[in-house]
Amino acid sequence: MTKSSFHAAHIRAALFVVASGLGAAALWPAATEAANDKHYGVVCVRNNTRANITYMRKVGEGGWETRFIEPGGEWRMAHRYDRANENSSPKVHVKYDADATGRNFTQFKDLERRAAVGDTCQEGYVYAFQYEARNRSFISLERVQ
């Protein structure tokens, strides 16, 4: 190998390394954006009371379903989008008896889902059944995070 062919080989190798690095750098933003794409709409409900709560929920235009959540319990609903960043999920409607004394005082609440990368409660909106601060005879359902 002559001195000039040796230099030419090193120059080609150096150009390959630089070109490869630039190519990887050009792909980096696309990979980062894809990792941050929102694929789910997530909502969670917790029971922060000491009462067993029976409630009804309806997703979108579906029918009402009776549900139960024990003290300290939690449920999660995640809707997977048809395409990334769609940010559109069927609405979640809840109705429950807010009167903890045995009378009936039906309340309705529409729960908003949060667009998220994953389908966990840490990434979604969280609502909680909790006693009202001024009157522990009533239970409210409020977004807490």
Side-chain angles (χ1 to χ4, degrees):
M1 177 180 273
T2 66
K3 191 173 190 179
S4 62
S5 63
F6 179 79
H7 284 237
H10 276 93
I11 290 171
R12 281 194 300 274
L15 289 173
F16 176 77
V17 169
V18 170
S20 297
L22 290 175
L27 293 175
W28 180 256
T32 302
E33 285 178 25
N36 291 322
D37 283 349
K38 310 291 192 253
H39 295 282
Y40 296 92
V42 184
V43 65
C44 296
V45 174
R46 293 181 184 150
N47 181 356
N48 290 347
T49 74
R50 287 184 282 167
N52 291 314
I53 304 222
T54 301
Y55 63 96
M56 296 184 79
R57 80 168 181 211
K58 178 171 104 163
V59 179
E61 299 302 316
W64 287 100
E65 300 174 343
T66 301
R67 297 293 187 166
F68 170 83
I69 189 167
E70 70 279 351
E74 178 178 271
W75 63 260
R76 169 188 58 88
M77 288 192 71
H79 170 78
R80 182 156 175 86
Y81 299 144
D82 292 331
R83 62 186 182 284
N85 300 317
E86 181 179 339
N87 299 357
S88 178
S89 302
K91 294 197 181 297
V92 178
H93 311 281
V94 173
K95 65 180 175 179
Y96 65 99
D97 182 7
D99 191 327
T101 67
R103 296 187 198 116
N104 191 359
F105 184 64
T106 302
Q107 292 286 75
F108 293 86
K109 185 80 169 187
D110 290 334
L111 309 184
E112 182 181 356
R113 298 186 207 227
R114 182 175 185 208
V117 174
D119 63 354
T120 66
C121 288
Q122 290 79 13
E123 297 176 86
Y125 285 136
V126 177
Y127 292 79
F129 286 107
Q130 54 197 11
Y131 294 110
E132 288 191 1
R134 288 187 234 152
N135 186 348
R136 291 184 58 86
S137 295
F138 288 97
I139 295 171
S140 64
L141 178 59
E142 303 297 330
R143 194 168 101 192
V144 294
Q145 71 183 57

